[in-house]
Amino acid sequence: MTLDTFSNAQVQTQDIPSAGTIAFEPLHQRHAVLLITESLLVWAVPSVAFTVLLALGKIESSFLSAPWGFLLPLAALPIIFIACLLQAKHSGFAARTHDIHFKAGVIWRKRVALPFNRIQHIEIERNPIERAFGLSTLKFFTAGGGSADMKIPALGEQQATDLKSFVLKLAGEADDRA
């Protein structure tokens, strides 16, 4: 029996490939509309409650007593629309031969890389709003965690199914090589 000698050579910083060269695919074109819809649903609850309480006189304020006080919740709408459009624009994924990447965020940016040989299983999730838009979220799980290690939202249903099959095939091949 031959034992291979262990080697752990140092890699120079200038020899590390740039992650900036990864070509990310944008998420589905309806991603922005999905984000806006979800945000408006969250926005509607406190806005309606505020408006009702103001109309019933439960909120006493000289500042809000003017008729324009009822328009105050509408001030958030442009911010919601702009934030959702920017979030959709700055999100994407990239599938490569040995790993999958996901990026998201405008102010707080996040990039996740997941090697195929670490993936234990993959789920396709479709909440009611995603189903209405024909979209899915692909969730990747690795060993030792109860929650998803990576989520790629706003994929078309067929795209999610195809990507799941592709990754599972390559993850199985990676396991066979290990």
Side-chain angles (χ1 to χ4, degrees), residues 144-159:
S147 62
D149 293 288
M150 178 190 291
K151 295 179 185 179
I152 301 178
L155 296 172
E157 291 180 23
Q158 188 61 50
Q159 184 183 28

Side-chain angles (χ1 to χ4, degrees), residues 26-32 88 93 133-135 153-157 159:
L27 299 178
H28 198 281
Q29 61 194 15
R30 287 183 285 223
H31 185 218
F93 73 96
F133 286 101
L135 299 176
L155 296 172
E157 291 180 23
Q159 184 183 28

Side-chain angles (χ1 to χ4, degrees), residues 15-169:
D15 295 334
I16 298 172
S18 170
T21 60
I22 297 173
F24 285 89
E25 287 187 45
L27 299 178
H28 198 281
Q29 61 194 15
R30 287 183 285 223
H31 185 218
V33 179
L34 174 70
L35 289 173
I36 290 169
T37 302
E38 291 173 339
S39 297
L40 289 178
L41 289 172
V42 171
W43 166 86
V45 173
S47 296
V48 169
F50 171 81
T51 304
V52 168
L53 291 173
L54 189 62
L56 294 174
K58 301 293 183 186
I59 298 176
E60 295 181 18
S61 168
S62 58
F63 178 72
L64 297 175
S65 62
W68 67 270
F70 289 100
L71 300 176
L72 190 59
L74 298 177
L77 288 179
I79 297 167
I80 289 171
F81 281 95
I82 291 168
C84 290
L85 292 172
L86 287 173
Q87 176 68 18
K89 180 182 176 191
H90 288 90
S91 298
F93 73 96
R96 303 187 318 166
T97 55
H98 298 287
D99 55 18
I100 189 159
H101 294 253
F102 174 70
K103 70 173 186 163
V106 179
I107 297 172
W108 288 275
R109 294 188 178 180
K110 164 176 86 168
R111 287 180 96 162
V112 181
L114 192 59
F116 293 146
N117 63 357
R118 296 226 14 247
I119 295 173
Q120 295 290 313
H121 81 271
I122 304 171
E123 290 179 6
I124 296 176
E125 178 180 86
R126 295 181 181 106
N127 68 37
I129 299 170
E130 286 175 319
R131 282 195 308 271
F133 286 101
L135 299 176
S136 303
T137 296
L138 206 54
K139 297 169 73 173
F140 298 87
F141 296 84
T142 63
S147 62
D149 293 288
M150 178 190 291
K151 295 179 185 179
I152 301 178
L155 296 172
E157 291 180 23
Q158 188 61 50
Q159 184 183 28
T161 302
D162 293 346
L163 188 55
K164 178 182 176 183
S165 297
F166 172 78
V167 172
L168 285 174
K169 178 181 180 279

